Amino acid sequence: MSKNVALVLSGGGARGLAHIGVIEELEKRGYIISSIAGTSMGALIGGVYACGKMKELKNWMISLDKRKVFNLVDFTFSSMGLIKGDRVLNAMKEFIPDINIEDLKINFSATAADITNNKEVVFKSGSLFDAIRASISIPTVLTPVIKDNAIIVDGGVLNNIPIGNVKRTKGDLLIAVYVNADIPIEKTTIPKKETKKQSIYLEKISEFYAQLQLIQPKDKTEKMGYFSLLDKTLTAGTQKLAQLIIEKGAPDVLINISRHSCGTYDFFLAKEQIEIGRQATASKLNPYTLISFILSFIIMK
């Protein structure tokens, strides 16, 4: 059985942190990731892994409960987005050196969407940092990238699981990770020390919503807030398209992560999401490895 993997990572906000667990489990089992294609959070995790800095990113993500991290959110409330994202991305530059995509040791591509010309944009060369920045630009939340008269936003708008954009090599294993699957959630145990982290996060989120009074529903009976509405709208619009892409792309292994595992902006659940990704990968690969071994044995006979 081939150990070379062409890896496809979908977008999904904080749910995309499960990609870290997926990659760690693949490495643990001796798989070699030879190419990666990602959209949005998948582009972020995949790009950072390709430049050898996933450990640093993981540690930073796990620390996102700290009060000082919330101060990295730079509100703009412009007509094109609520958050500029410059502070967060500049903070990431401290431990993720920018590099040209073509200089990475692992073939990588980031998928974004040009909403001016209604077409997919696939970054296969140039600045890795700029490619990730474009791919994670969730419409109306993070300000888009303006380039050559094109408005470039989150790739999930057109292709949230870019199977067709990953480079294939003979005999490799195509593995796709979809973190918006409409499947029941499998709970993992959260250490007790996480309780304080959640409290701090919720406290800061309360402060955040206080700054959104102008766009929050005035009706107190309204149960769906701005971000929940936006998240559900984007998810509904991309889910069926993603399913068609998966069916057409026919990955050898499809690792599904429940869209109910956490909210799009619940980054305080980093440890849990990483573990969910690890467990989902182990569960999927165990029977696959056994079947592959039996088939190989039969062919040899």
Side-chain angles (χ1 to χ4, degrees):
M1 180 182 68
S2 175
K3 284 289 186 176
N4 288 331
V5 171
L7 186 62
V8 180
L9 305 176
S10 79
R15 292 183 293 276
L17 292 169
H19 294 318
I20 296 176
V22 172
I23 292 173
E24 289 181 340
E25 186 64 21
L26 288 174
E27 288 190 321
K28 178 182 176 182
R29 292 168 177 260
Y31 289 94
I32 300 171
I33 300 173
S34 55
S35 60
I36 302 175
T39 293
S40 196
M41 197 64 179
L44 172 60
I45 301 297
V48 170
Y49 174 76
C51 69
K53 294 292 183 178
M54 195 175 75
K55 182 179 179 180
E56 289 84 349
L57 177 67
K58 176 183 176 180
N59 292 337
W60 187 70
M61 286 293 182
I62 289 174
S63 74
L64 282 180
D65 62 296
K66 297 179 180 179
R67 293 174 181 269
K68 65 180 182 180
V69 175
F70 186 82
N71 293 329
L72 292 174
V73 179
D74 44 358
F75 298 100
T76 175
F77 298 102
S78 75
S79 60
M80 302 191 76
L82 299 175
I83 301 169
K84 288 199 299 182
D86 293 343
R87 292 181 189 173
V88 174
L89 291 166
N90 285 334
M92 290 174 61
K93 281 183 177 178
E94 294 181 9
F95 57 88
I96 304 176
D98 193 18
I99 187 173
N100 285 331
I101 295 175
E102 58 267 33
D103 295 330
L104 294 171
K105 294 182 179 180
I106 298 175
N107 187 278
F108 172 77
S109 69
T111 300
D114 174 0
I115 58 173
T116 300
N117 301 293
N118 193 29
K119 66 179 183 178
E120 187 175 319
V121 178
V122 184
F123 293 90
K124 295 182 178 180
S125 62
S127 168
L128 172 65
F129 185 86
D130 290 347
I132 292 174
R133 173 64 178 86
S135 186
I136 65 174
S137 301
I138 301 176
T140 76
V141 176
L142 195 63
T143 53
V145 171
I146 310 298
K147 183 178 181 180
D148 299 329
N149 296 319
I151 300 176
I152 304 175
V153 300
D154 193 302
V157 171
L158 295 177
N159 188 353
N160 200 32
I161 183 161
I163 295 175
N165 297 337
V166 70
K167 183 178 180 180
R168 302 298 306 277
T169 56
K170 185 177 181 179
D172 65 8
L173 191 65
L174 177 60
I175 298 180
V177 188
Y178 184 50
V179 300
N180 297 308
D182 191 13
I183 59 176
I185 180 175
E186 293 185 11
K187 290 289 186 179
T188 57
T189 302
I190 306 176
K192 291 184 178 179
K193 63 181 180 180
E194 295 297 311
T195 303
K196 183 178 180 181
K197 295 176 68 175
Q198 293 184 31
S199 297
I200 293 174
Y201 176 84
L202 293 175
E203 177 184 333
K204 302 311 291 184
I205 283 296
S206 295
E207 293 179 16
F208 174 69
Y209 279 126
Q211 299 183 60
L212 296 178
Q213 291 180 358
L214 294 178
I215 57 176
Q216 287 285 69
K218 299 298 183 181
D219 185 355
K220 298 300 181 180
T221 63
E222 177 62 61
K223 295 182 178 181
M224 187 176 293
Y226 177 83
F227 284 113
S228 293
L229 178 61
L230 177 62
D231 183 29
K232 290 181 182 297
T233 301
L234 291 175
T235 298
T238 62
Q239 201 164 30
K240 287 192 176 296
L241 177 59
Q243 289 301 323
L244 291 174
I245 293 172
I246 291 171
E247 291 174 11
K248 182 179 179 180
D252 298 309
V253 178
L254 174 62
I255 299 173
N256 281 318
I257 306 295
S258 174
R259 65 186 180 91
H260 308 291
S261 60
C262 77
T264 301
Y265 309 102
D266 289 342
F267 289 97
F268 73 97
L269 290 175
K271 284 187 177 180
E272 184 181 45
Q273 286 303 119
I274 292 171
E275 180 60 18
I276 286 174
R278 188 198 68 75
Q279 290 185 9
T281 304
S283 176
K284 195 71 178 182
L285 289 180
N286 286 340
Y288 178 84
T289 301
L290 177 60
I291 293 172
S292 297
F293 175 78
I294 294 174
L295 289 175
S296 298
F297 181 78
I298 294 174
I299 292 173
M300 288 178 66
K301 286 292 185 180

